[in-house]
């Protein structure tokens, strides 16, 4: 499958396209990366340098691909961090262009806005754009638990509230919603959960909670979930495979106290992880 991936990029480390492209390729997909920023490193470091790519230039890259006559070969558009309203418009225009040439193409959106530990790390105009423009356009949405609450303006501290919020999102556009970093009143201490829901219902996976999060892990999660869906797996199977691979990736990274995700060193875990997690259905 061929994927147009419009995300940020870094020279050192792994975030955005620099985290997503290799796992997608390792699982057999062709990726056309279009970068929205090109930083020296991710912004979690004390310093970083590099340009934010002007939205017009991002648009020019997409137009160049279209002029080659190959945009219709794309099976999916994948987006992550969207730093401005102008970039959001460019991404949604790219989705429209791809679907004009290939109506079967899907849009997978990771609505990056923040997390429970750090709060927001985007400008205040981004959350409404995500809720009002990106959510209705996406077939697959992959918010973390914090972002789920923001997108639906609801309390997701309980499992019941989380499920209600997921169904609210599904009613607004995406058929499949993957929620990462789930912590509710039903979460077992020392664990972290992932939840996926589609028209067949909701399923939950619980994994051991590792001692810290590593930047870029969310980008890898969305990339792997996308890779498995496009490879023919259903949402539940894609969730199980993704959870196992990401757990091994982060665990290996933390065991050697690496500053960045060990994506290359952990590539076998993307294809055939040693760890296995089983998703359990949740009552309707």
């Amino acid at each position: 499958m061929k994927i147009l991936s419009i995300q940020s990029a870094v020279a050192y480390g792994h975030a955005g396209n620099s985290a997503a492209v290799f796992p997608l390729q390792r699982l057999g997909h062709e990726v056309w990366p279009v970068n929205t920023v090109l930083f020296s490193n991710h912004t979690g470091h004390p310093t970083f340098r590099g340009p934010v790519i002007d939205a017009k230039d991002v648009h020019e890259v997409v137009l160049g691909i279209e002029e080659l006559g190959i945009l219709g070969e794309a099976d999916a558009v994948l987006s992550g961090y969207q730093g401005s309203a102008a970039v959001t418009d460019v991404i949604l225009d790219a989705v429209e262009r791809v679907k004009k040439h290939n109506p079967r193409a899907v849009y997978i959106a990771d609505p990056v806005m923040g997390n429970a530990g750090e709060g927001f790390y985007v400008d205040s105009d981004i959350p409404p754009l995500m809720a009002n423009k990106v959510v209705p356009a996406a077939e697959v949405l992959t918010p973390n638990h914090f972002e789920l609450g923001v997108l639906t303006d609801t309390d997701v501290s309980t499992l019941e509230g989380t499920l209600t919020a997921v169904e609210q999102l599904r009613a607004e556009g995406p058929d499949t919603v993957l929620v990462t970093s789930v912590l509710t009143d039903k979460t077992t201490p020392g664990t972290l959960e992932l939840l996926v829901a589609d028209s067949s219902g909701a399923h939950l996976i619980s994994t051991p909670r590792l001692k810290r999060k590593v930047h870029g892990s969310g980008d890898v999660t969305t990339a792997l979930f996308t890779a498995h869906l496009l490879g023919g797996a259903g949402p539940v199977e894609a969730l199980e495979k993704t959870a196992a691979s990401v757990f091994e990736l982060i665990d290996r990274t933390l065991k050697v106290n690496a500053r960045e995700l060990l994506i290359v060193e952990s590539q076998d875990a993307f294809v055939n992880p040693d760890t296995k997690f089983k998703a359990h259905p949740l009552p309707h």
Side-chain angles (χ1 to χ4, degrees), residues 14-16 19-20 42 110 180-181 192 194 210 212-224 242 245-247 249-250 253 260-261 263:
H14 302 286
H42 67 66
D110 183 359
T180 62
S181 302
L192 197 62
L194 298 93
L210 297 170
R212 67 178 173 90
K213 183 181 178 182
V214 184
H215 282 271
S217 57
D219 302 317
V220 175
T221 299
T222 296
L224 290 172
T242 298
S245 297
V246 173
F247 179 83
L249 168 64
I250 299 175
T253 299
E260 301 286 343
L261 287 169
I263 285 181

Side-chain angles (χ1 to χ4, degrees), residues 43 78 207 258:
T43 57
L78 173 62
T207 71

